[in-house]
Amino acid sequence: QSLGYGFVNYIDPKDAEKAINTLNGLRLQTKTIKVSYARPSSASIRDANLYVSGLPKTMTQKELEQLFSQYGRIITSRILVDQVTGISRGVGFIRFDKRIEAEEAIKGLNGQKPPGATEPITVKFANNPSQKTNQAILSQLYQSPNRRYPGPLAQQAQRFRLDNLLNMAYGVKSRFSPMTIDGMTSLAGINIPGHPGTGWCIFVYNLAPDADESILWQMFGPFGAVTNVKVIRDFNTNKCKGFGFVTMTNYDEAAMAIASLNGYRLGDRVLQVSFKTNKTHKA
């Protein structure tokens, strides 16, 4: 499983600078990606990621950085928010430039009350999600009875989001229970009729009239190999009729994309995402 980061080497330094300026802060689903110059790995910069809990719900990411910046240079910061309400969960992550800075922040802030807080905060090193942890989470996700749900899995998948799984990996206590995704992989996975082995076809419903293929590529691409996307358009107006299809080669990646994007708010619309069933949608 991807650890969530990668490297790109450019021949021309100007191109690298342009890539950073263009792509740093780009939002992909529930993620905001960080793009910066890579640093040579060394013991001094490893394991400098902190997990912070008990934060006031009103605290912003900027205020979190202000609180921690007195201890060193912050590489990234993040506050976890509820996907439905957008309200802070009172939990965040701070990654420092150096391990020693993170250690100083723990000494200075763990058990302290930040401005505006009624309770002390907990500051500790974040658990590094090991391969073992990832495998355990994925096996929980995919263990399900061999039965098929005939309808879309809106009811199942809306009860959880990918960040629940990530929270588990990073040591965040979550109210997520594997029971809520019982039957997740019932997900009636059906290969595209007449095209055995070409991949898994995903049905995306409630797209806006101005939606185009690039939106589907951007949403589904981060989950794995996408071989084809198609937005169904009205013959007369050329506007999207509200739905489209995405084909992914790998079942696990397709299931993860569905679980993460079903119920995802795109603009002012809530998407319905499921494996395509044999029911035909008229183009």
Side-chain angles (χ1 to χ4, degrees), residues 7 44 59 63 89 101 106 200 217 233 245 251 254 278:
F7 298 89
S44 66
M59 181 176 273
E63 288 168 338
R89 292 180 175 171
E101 296 168 339
I106 291 175
W200 300 89
W217 283 114
R233 291 183 167 83
F245 298 95
Y251 176 80
N278 282 331

Side-chain angles (χ1 to χ4, degrees), residues 4-146:
Y5 63 91
F7 298 89
V8 177
N9 291 323
Y10 282 95
I11 295 168
D12 189 333
K14 285 180 185 168
D15 292 337
E17 189 180 350
K18 187 179 177 185
I20 290 172
N21 292 337
T22 306
L23 298 174
N24 185 42
L26 177 71
R27 194 161 169 80
L28 294 171
Q29 292 105 53
T30 56
K31 297 260 187 189
T32 302
I33 64 169
K34 164 84 173 172
V35 185
S36 62
Y37 289 110
R39 300 175 299 163
S41 181
S42 71
S44 66
I45 68 171
R46 267 187 228 118
D47 300 325
N49 193 26
L50 295 180
Y51 165 64
V52 189
S53 61
L55 294 168
K57 298 291 174 77
T58 54
M59 181 176 273
T60 64
Q61 191 170 318
K62 190 175 179 184
E63 288 168 338
L64 180 68
E65 285 203 7
Q66 284 171 347
L67 180 65
F68 279 82
S69 60
Q70 58 187 308
Y71 297 99
R73 178 167 167 255
I74 293 170
I75 301 293
T76 57
S77 69
R78 180 172 169 234
I79 288 179
L80 297 186
V81 297
D82 185 284
Q83 286 301 305
V84 179
T85 63
I87 296 169
S88 165
R89 292 180 175 171
V91 168
F93 292 95
I94 293 276
R95 184 180 292 280
F96 279 101
D97 183 40
K98 301 244 173 11
R99 165 91 182 185
I100 193 166
E101 296 168 339
E103 288 170 352
E104 289 301 315
I106 291 175
K107 283 181 201 166
L109 291 174
N110 184 41
Q112 300 297 312
K113 287 185 190 175
T118 54
E119 298 293 325
I121 60 172
T122 299
V123 184
K124 62 182 184 180
F125 284 109
N127 296 340
N128 283 328
S130 64
Q131 200 67 24
K132 253 185 190 174
T133 313
N134 286 340
Q135 290 303 328
I137 289 164
L138 286 166
S139 67
Q140 262 181 349
L141 177 62
Y142 296 125
Q143 271 167 5
S144 93
N146 272 333

